[in-house]
Structures are given as structure tokens and as C-alpha cells.
């Protein structure tokens, strides 16, 4: 559907889209800049290493993230005409990315938690069951949302805009998506805090050399965990605030700034910190391999795709 109008009443929407385009470009720049910044690590730790599941997950997050960031800018390029069909395609691709990438990151988190719990099969089964329940439900909800979407090409005062309108009570479904993702992230956070507290208590009963090595090993995991969960907390707070009726359809400057900040933070959480969850572990493993003394003292600790950190019960 195409809407053509020169009515001045559309100017708040035009200004809002132009303002939001700056934030979209900023989010894309952050993602691409981080890729350039870590390209050397990527070549050494990803491309030159044996291919595995983690390799594939890294490449999915990194390069879908770059593509997503660029595509997200297109609907706000007011000098480029996009048909309603293209609007629908862009809407489908960006919305499904918001489901697929968190699912991929959850697989990485499952791998890390499985390692932190010393390869516990029960913990792995528990995490996989919760993961399947959450993301199958997210997939069904997203399918319902997209089934109710309609692409709209707007030509307002000579400016082209691409919009996707939704029929029915889509906001309720979006809220359900947010709650499901929040439940999963909170569960992962609680499990991480619990096992971290347990391991650091157990380290007190180990010898100085073993305590230092295992402590450094565990800190490598916790450091990236802290950054990831901190970004999740910021994103969740913004999403919760923007669900309020006062901000939902508002074109005020405050609401636009919040939406723009959310765009950047979501990009950082998914496409910057996501790849770094893998790079941090592989970087630490490469450091251990380079240091023969540290490699010997690690003994039976396996720290590449999964990091097994023995506690007092296994030492």
C-alpha cells in the first residue's frame, strides 16, 4: 500500500523518522567499528582455528549483525524509495533476526553454563529444555505478529519512508516476547551468580598455585558475563519503560531519545558482546597455550569450547 500526501500534519512523523535515522546509523557504526577493532582476534581465534559449533555461532552473530545493522538504516533513508513489498521483507528480516540472534546467544550461554557446572549432564538437560520452551514460544508469537503485518510505502512531502503496520493487539504479543526473553536471561544470571559464588568459596581450600590458575580461568568467564548481563539490564529497563502507553506512540523528543538509545544498546548486546563471549574464552585459551607453565598447571582443565573448572570435590 502506498500513501502520498503533502499534509503538514505528517511533519512530526517525518521529523521523528529523520531523527531516528541518526540513531540507526550510530548503531550500525558501533557494530562495524567493533568488528574492525576485533578483526585481528577474529582471524587468529576463529578463521585459523579448527571449525566447530562455536565457530559457526560466532560467524552467524557477527555477520548477521553487520547485515542487520545496515538493513535497519534503509527504512529511514528518506531519499530512497522502497515499495510496500520491500517494506514487508525488511520487516520480516529484522523481526526474525530479533528472535534468531538471541536464540544463538542462548546456545553460547548454555555452553558456558554447562562448562561452569563442570559438564553436568543434568544441568545441560535442564537448560536445553528451558531453551526449547522459551524459543519455540517466541517463534510462534513472532509468526503471529508477522502474519498481522502490512507493508506501507509513504511519500510525504517528497520524502520516502518505509513503514510496517500491525493489525490486532500486537503490543500484547510483543510484551510476551520481552517477558520470555527476560525469564531466560534472569535464569542464566541466577545460575551464573550461584556457581560463581560456589567456586570462589571452594578456591579458598585449594593451594596458592591451583587457586591462582583456576581463579584466573573463572574470572575470564565472569568478566564477559558481567558486561553481557549489564547490557541486558539496561536494555530490559528501556524496553519496560517504552511499553508504557505514554511513550508507546509518542513523538516527543524524550521518547525518541529513548528509542534511539535502545537501538544502540540492543546492537551492542547482540552484535558486540555476543561475539565477544566467544572471543574472550578463545583468547584466554590461546594465552594458556602460549604459556607452557600455565598450560602444565591447568592439568585436566579443558578451556576452549567448554571450560571445566574443578572444585574441591574433584581436585
Amino acid at each position: 500500500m502506498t500513501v502520498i500526501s503533502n499534509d503538514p500534519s505528517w511533519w512530526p512523523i517525518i521529523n521523528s523518522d529523520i531523527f531516528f535515522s541518526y540513531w540507526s546509523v550510530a548503531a550500525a557504526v558501533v557494530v562495524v567499528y567493533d568488528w574492525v577493532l576485533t578483526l585481528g582476534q577474529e582471524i587468529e581465534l576463529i578463521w585459523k582455528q579448527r571449525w566447530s559449533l562455536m565457530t559457526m555461532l560466532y560467524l552467524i552473530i557477527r555477520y548477521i549483525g553487520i547485515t542487520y545493522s545496515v538493513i535497519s538504516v534503509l527504512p529511514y533513508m528518506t531519499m530512497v524509495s522502497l515499495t510496500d513489498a520491500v517494506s514487508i521483507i525488511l520487516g520480516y528480516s529484522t523481526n526474525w533476526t530479533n528472535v534468531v540472534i538471541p536464540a544463538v546467544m542462548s546456545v553460547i550461554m548454555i555452553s558456558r553454563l554447562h562448562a561452569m557446572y563442570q559438564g553436568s549432564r543434568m544441568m545441560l538437560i535442564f537448560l536445553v529444555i528451558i531453551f526449547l520452551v522459551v524459543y519455540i514460544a517466541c517463534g510462534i508469537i513472532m509468526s503471529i505478529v508477522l502474519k498481522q503485518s502490512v507493508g506501507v510505502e509513504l511519500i510525504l512531502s517528497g520524502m520516502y519512508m518505509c513503514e510496517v503496520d500491525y493489525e490486532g493487539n500486537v503490543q500484547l504479543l510483543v510484551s510476551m516476547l520481552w517477558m520470555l526473553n527476560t525469564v531466560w536471561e534472569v535464569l542464566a544470571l541466577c545460575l551464573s551468580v550461584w556457581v560463581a559464588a560456589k567456586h570462589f568459596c571452594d578456591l579458598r581450600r585449594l593451594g596458592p598455585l591451583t587457586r591462582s590458575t583456576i581463579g584466573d580461568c573463572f574470572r575470564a568467564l565472569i568478566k564477559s558475563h558481567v558486561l553481557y548481563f549489564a547490557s541486558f539490564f539496561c536494555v530490559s529497563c528501556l524496553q519496560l519503560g517504552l511499553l508504557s502507553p505514554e511513550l508507546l506512540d509518542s513523538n516527543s523528543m524524550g521518547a525518541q531519545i529513548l528509542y534511539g538509545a535502545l537501538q544502540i544498546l540492543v546492537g551492542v548486546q547482540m552484535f558486540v558482546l555476543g561475539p565477544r563471549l566467544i572471543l574472550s574464552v578463545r583468547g584466554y585459551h590461546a594465552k594458556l597455550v602460549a604459556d607452557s607453565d600455565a598450560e602444565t598447571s591447568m592439568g585436566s582443565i579443558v578451556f576452549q569450547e567448554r571450560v571445566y573448572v574443578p572444585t574441591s570435590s574433584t581436585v
Side-chain angles (χ1 to χ4, degrees), residues 49 280-290 302-305:
Q49 303 299 319
S280 63
V281 173
R282 291 202 170 185
Y284 184 80
H285 176 259
K287 181 181 177 182
L288 288 182
V289 171
V302 181
F303 196 80
Q304 186 166 11
E305 299 302 337

Side-chain angles (χ1 to χ4, degrees), residues 5-17:
S5 176
N6 293 317
D7 191 338
S9 64
W10 286 98
W11 271 103
I13 294 178
I14 295 173
N15 291 331
S16 176
D17 273 30

Side-chain angles (χ1 to χ4, degrees), residues 114 120-131:
H114 184 222
S120 169
R121 181 172 296 180
M122 291 299 296
M123 178 56 65
L124 178 61
I125 293 172
F126 171 73
L127 290 172
V128 169
I129 290 174
I130 299 299
F131 167 80

Side-chain angles (χ1 to χ4, degrees), residues 21 23 29 72 74 106 113 179 185 189 231 240 247 269 289 307:
S21 68
W23 293 91
V29 168
S72 296
L74 294 180
S106 296
L113 288 171
M179 287 187 289
E185 297 289 356
L189 173 61
S231 68
L240 181 61
L247 296 175
Q269 182 190 16
V289 171
V307 186

